Amino acid sequence: MSIEEAIQSNQMDLNTKTVINILYTSRILEESGSEILKRFDVTSQQFNVLRILRGQKGKPANLSTVQERMIDKSSNTTRLVDKLIKKGYVKRSICKENRRKVEILITEDGLNLLLEIDPLIENNNTKMLNALSNNQLQTLNDLLDALRNF
Amino acid sequence: MSIEEAIQSNQMDLNTKTVINILYTSRILEESGSEILKRFDVTSQQFNVLRILRGQKGKPANLSTVQERMIDKSSNTTRLVDKLIKKGYVKRSICKENRRKVEILITEDGLNLLLEIDPLIENNNTKMLNALSNNQLQTLNDLLDALRNF
DNA sequence: CTCATACATTTGTACATACAAATATTGTAA
DNA sequence: TTACAATATTTGTATGTACAAATGTATGAG
């Protein structure tokens, strides 16, 4: 289904259409992922933070580093991390070298949660992208990467 | 900048990378647009509804129709419309044929607001998509349209 | 006609987000 | 060393979102 059919609108110029197409497609992917995460009582943002922390491979990350790397750089990473602490998925401590900074570390429970969620999300991603060949996926990535060089 | 550099993560499989790339790029576009809309004290969602209503060309739309066509099908179109009514950009009335339904119509003020915002958003879209040729934009749209046929 | 069901919207409530201001710590220039 | 600016995070507050339950209206079976 073309984006014009999807949102029942024609007569859009190519730029507008492209922007709307990206926003619209993104929303569909986001909702599909959220539905899976809901079962584990984590939001996409929380999942995103957990994956960033796992990527640190044991090294703690500062709040600001986490925020920089987040897909959705919502403010209040503080409160987002609070939620993860309450659930036991991350630990927080004050950085010894610079006491303004905070160090966040994923716990064993957090890592186990990711191990449980990962295959479901990967599976879902595969399903959602099923209609495109690897070549097409590569092209899509290249175009999006290029787009951001405005 | 590739998505791996952007979010400082490598070793992602192609599917995961593509999904993250779409979400990430979408967020950038969304924030850029929101910044413009903020000056006019409307959110992207409200702007989206106003454009849908303008597309009706004088014919009122039901709440459910509006919701179907929204990019972000957030619930509470009711309260979203409330805000637009308070600002004088739309009118609401009960549908005479089916009193369960509500009819929403954009006002003259709403149309004028869109006339003011449109060129700024179009200009911004052009700027944001500047790095891609028309051919590339077309390909991008085709890939996104195809993607949604999962 | 009247009851159950479906439909369209609204409302309640918990939670999340955005943005600004406040707090705490560090670095540095006089 | 003190004062000022810069940095990193937290907190306050208004607004927005998600989801379920409630309300009001229409439709069809018996």
Side-chain angles (χ1 to χ4, degrees):
Chain A
M1 184 156 64
S2 76
I3 187 68
E4 283 99 337
E5 292 172 286
I7 65 163
Q8 290 287 326
S9 166
N10 37 16
Q11 301 170 339
M12 288 183 284
D13 65 90
L14 186 55
N15 287 328
T16 304
K17 189 165 92 171
T18 308
V19 169
I20 290 179
N21 209 341
I22 295 169
L23 299 178
Y24 184 77
T25 307
S26 170
R27 252 279 140 187
I28 289 175
L29 295 173
E30 160 66 25
E31 271 172 14
S32 162
S34 291
E35 206 184 304
I36 292 169
L37 296 174
K38 203 161 43 176
R39 298 178 220 156
F40 298 92
D41 193 33
V42 286
T43 64
S44 337
Q45 312 275 35
Q46 292 170 4
F47 180 59
N48 189 201
V49 169
L50 288 177
R51 287 208 289 194
I52 289 166
L53 293 175
R54 175 173 60 184
Q56 292 288 102
K57 299 184 190 312
K59 210 183 115 205
N62 298 328
L63 248 203
S64 52
T65 311
V66 171
Q67 193 157 5
E68 263 168 31
R69 296 190 187 168
M70 284 182 72
I71 295 168
D72 186 341
K73 295 163 191 5
S74 89
S75 51
N76 267 331
T77 316
T78 299
R79 281 192 274 243
L80 207 162
V81 166
D82 284 346
K83 298 280 160 60
L84 290 172
I85 291 173
K86 202 187 271 181
K87 291 174 191 164
Y89 298 139
V90 312
K91 279 193 270 197
R92 173 163 48 193
S93 55
I94 304 291
C95 175
K96 286 178 187 68
E97 291 79 44
N98 185 340
R99 307 191 332 113
R100 281 174 302 188
K101 290 188 181 180
V102 135
E103 288 184 332
I104 301 153
L105 196 65
I106 189 166
T107 64
E108 200 62 27
D109 275 6
L111 289 169
N112 287 335
L113 180 74
L114 286 183
L115 281 179
E116 210 178 339
I117 296 178
D118 274 341
L120 297 179
I121 290 289
E122 275 171 34
N123 204 31
N124 187 246
N125 287 345
T126 305
K127 202 184 75 198
M128 298 298 285
L129 300 180
N130 181 45
L132 299 184
S133 70
N134 275 359
N135 249 329
Q136 287 178 310
L137 289 176
Q138 192 54 60
T139 306
L140 181 50
N141 274 289
D142 292 344
L143 289 171
L144 292 171
D145 288 350
L147 184 161
R148 293 195 306 277
N149 289 323
F150 46 82
Chain B
M1 185 156 62
S2 77
I3 186 69
E4 283 99 336
E5 292 172 285
I7 66 164
Q8 290 287 324
S9 166
N10 37 13
Q11 301 168 338
M12 287 184 285
D13 66 88
L14 186 55
N15 286 329
T16 305
K17 189 166 93 171
T18 309
V19 169
I20 291 179
N21 209 341
I22 296 169
L23 298 179
Y24 184 76
T25 308
S26 170
R27 253 279 142 187
I28 290 175
L29 295 173
E30 162 64 26
E31 272 170 15
S32 161
S34 291
E35 206 184 305
I36 292 169
L37 295 175
K38 204 158 45 178
R39 297 178 221 157
F40 297 92
D41 192 34
V42 285
T43 64
S44 335
Q45 313 274 35
Q46 290 170 3
F47 181 59
N48 188 202
V49 168
L50 289 177
R51 285 207 290 194
I52 290 166
L53 293 175
R54 176 173 58 183
Q56 292 287 102
K57 299 185 190 308
K59 210 184 113 204
N62 297 327
L63 247 203
S64 53
T65 310
V66 171
Q67 193 156 5
E68 264 167 32
R69 296 189 187 167
M70 283 181 72
I71 295 168
D72 185 340
K73 295 161 189 9
S74 90
S75 49
N76 268 332
T77 316
T78 298
R79 281 193 274 242
L80 207 164
V81 166
D82 284 346
K83 298 279 162 58
L84 289 173
I85 290 173
K86 201 187 271 181
K87 291 173 191 165
Y89 298 139
V90 311
K91 279 192 270 194
R92 174 161 51 193
S93 56
I94 304 291
C95 175
K96 287 179 186 68
E97 291 79 42
N98 185 339
R99 307 193 332 118
R100 285 176 299 187
K101 291 189 181 179
V102 135
E103 288 183 332
I104 301 153
L105 195 65
I106 189 167
T107 64
E108 200 62 28
D109 276 5
L111 289 170
N112 286 335
L113 180 74
L114 287 182
L115 281 180
E116 209 177 342
I117 295 178
D118 274 340
L120 297 179
I121 289 289
E122 275 171 33
N123 204 32
N124 187 246
N125 287 343
T126 305
K127 201 183 74 198
M128 299 297 285
L129 300 180
N130 180 45
L132 299 184
S133 70
N134 274 1
N135 249 328
Q136 288 178 309
L137 289 176
Q138 192 55 58
T139 305
L140 181 51
N141 274 291
D142 291 343
L143 289 171
L144 292 171
D145 288 350
L147 184 160
R148 293 195 307 277
N149 289 324
F150 46 81

